[in-house]
Amino acid sequence: MQTDNAIAPVKPMDRFKQELSVREDHLRKLLPSTMGVDKFQAVVVAAVADNMDLLECDRSSLLKACLSAAELGLSLNKNMAEADILKVWNGKTKRNEAQFRPRYKGLMKLALQAGEVLKIESRLVHANDTFEVEEGIEPRIIHKHGLANRGDMVGAYCVWKLKNGETQFEIMNKEQILAIRDRSSAKTKDGNIVGPWKTDEAEMWRKTVVRRASKYMPLSTEAMRAVQADNEADGIVEADAFDDTVADITEVNTAPAEKQINTLEAKVARKPKPEPVVEDTIEELHPTEDADGVVDWETWAYAAYEIVSELGPDRRSEWLSIHADHLDEAEMIAPRAIKPLKDLFN
């Protein structure tokens, strides 16, 4: 009888658990004091078990996404519906990445955590509902509906009460909400929308208006960063980020400036132009992958060290700007190998 001594291939989930175990010391430094490494690993494994496609994502992005949830105190448990980790295609890096996205309940939780918002609600408006808005010094919403035959969704609103007793609200119509959905970065390589916009559209309508309303709420610094990142992921630039003042320049007297320009050009023409100094272009150093598609960050770190150690300060800064994403990812995967390289930039 012949014994088969072949070694069984490691399952993707088992490999991922091993990768988490190797990074325990590094994760311990990054996690908030409210969450231990064991609990964080359990949360990450559960999130991946719910969506095995996440194993196809860049590992650094997956850990960063889970760290974001831990830092904000938002649960990745589907039953809690506070936040998700999505697999999205990054057209710039040409790879799948994990993206942390808070849900509407998560955003409302962040608003309440700051302590200034006492109560917050988000509601959908349907075509057959009675919906009225009264403007003025004491604005209010009148929203009435039955339990059936409400018709299609036509809008959503968020209303919240502050600690000082003031009540505020924000309203968005269907066109505004769908425009944001269409700009979302939560898409596959083929451009198809993924995640809650596909599976829980009604919930995403509620989230969209809560997110817009949050800019008027007193939030913590961490919560504001989370909202801003979520805005950027959906391609949102708030209107108040721009100054729409228009200056009339048609009657500006340009004669003195033109005279100065002409004089300067004459002086420049008399001076010999120095020969341009040509430096070698810094090319991006890409990591290699093994037969299973696992990136070898240790080899990349050693190769990068050899290159950077030969560069001057300015060229090192240039190299760092090109490889910042690689450096972050390598530090998550192979912290010991990357340390000598990082020391070169200190």
Side-chain angles (χ1 to χ4, degrees), residues 30-36 39-41 43-44 63-76 83 85 100 113:
L30 299 174
L31 285 169
S33 58
T34 54
M35 178 170 285
K39 183 177 180 181
F40 175 75
Q41 289 177 333
V43 168
V44 175
L63 291 177
K64 285 181 180 178
C66 294
L67 283 167
S68 295
E71 185 179 56
L72 292 169
L74 297 184
S75 174
L76 295 175
I85 304 294
F100 167 70
Q113 282 178 350

Side-chain angles (χ1 to χ4, degrees), residues 6 39 104 111 117-118 121 147 151 157 159 174 208 238 243 246 259 270 273 282 289 313 315 324:
K39 183 177 180 181
Y104 88 93
V117 178
L118 297 181
E121 297 287 347
L147 297 178
Y157 66 92
V159 59
K174 177 180 179 179
T208 301
E238 296 294 351
D243 182 358
V246 178
K259 184 177 180 180
R270 288 196 296 268
K273 294 182 179 180
I282 292 180
E289 297 181 354
R315 301 283 280 167

Side-chain angles (χ1 to χ4, degrees), residues 243-296:
D243 182 358
D244 59 356
T245 303
V246 178
D248 184 358
I249 62 171
T250 56
E251 297 182 0
V252 176
N253 183 6
T254 61
E258 289 174 354
K259 184 177 180 180
Q260 289 181 2
I261 292 172
N262 292 334
T263 304
L264 180 60
E265 288 177 344
K267 290 180 179 178
V268 171
R270 288 196 296 268
K271 291 185 177 181
K273 294 182 179 180
E275 290 294 327
V277 178
V278 179
E279 292 184 327
D280 293 335
T281 302
I282 292 180
E283 296 184 358
E284 184 174 354
L285 177 64
H286 295 282
T288 58
E289 297 181 354
D290 62 19
D292 296 325
V294 177
V295 177
D296 185 357

Side-chain angles (χ1 to χ4, degrees), residues 9-27:
V10 179
K11 295 180 180 180
M13 178 59 87
D14 291 336
R15 181 190 291 273
F16 179 62
K17 289 179 180 178
Q18 292 171 2
E19 292 175 0
L20 281 177
S21 180
V22 169
R23 299 179 186 82
E24 278 190 10
D25 291 341
H26 187 63
L27 290 172

Side-chain angles (χ1 to χ4, degrees), residues 113-149:
Q113 282 178 350
E116 294 298 319
V117 178
L118 297 181
K119 188 176 182 181
I120 180 170
E121 297 287 347
S122 179
R123 294 285 181 261
L124 296 170
V125 182
H126 293 255
N128 296 333
D129 294 353
T130 297
F131 186 78
E132 298 178 0
V133 180
E134 294 184 0
E135 302 284 3
I137 297 177
E138 297 182 357
R140 67 170 183 156
I141 291 174
I142 298 174
H143 185 200
K144 299 179 181 180
H145 62 80
L147 297 178
N149 301 320

Side-chain angles (χ1 to χ4, degrees), residues 101 172-187 193 197 204-205 207-209 211-212 230-238:
R101 303 300 296 270
M172 295 182 72
N173 61 32
K174 177 180 179 179
E175 290 72 25
Q176 292 172 312
I177 294 171
L178 295 185
I180 289 174
R181 179 202 63 183
D182 294 340
R183 290 201 301 269
S184 174
S185 66
K187 294 184 175 73
I193 293 175
W197 274 118
M204 290 303 294
W205 281 47
K207 172 191 169 177
T208 301
V209 72
R211 183 174 56 192
R212 174 170 289 188
D230 203 50
N231 278 335
E232 291 173 358
D234 276 342
I236 299 171
V237 178
E238 296 294 351

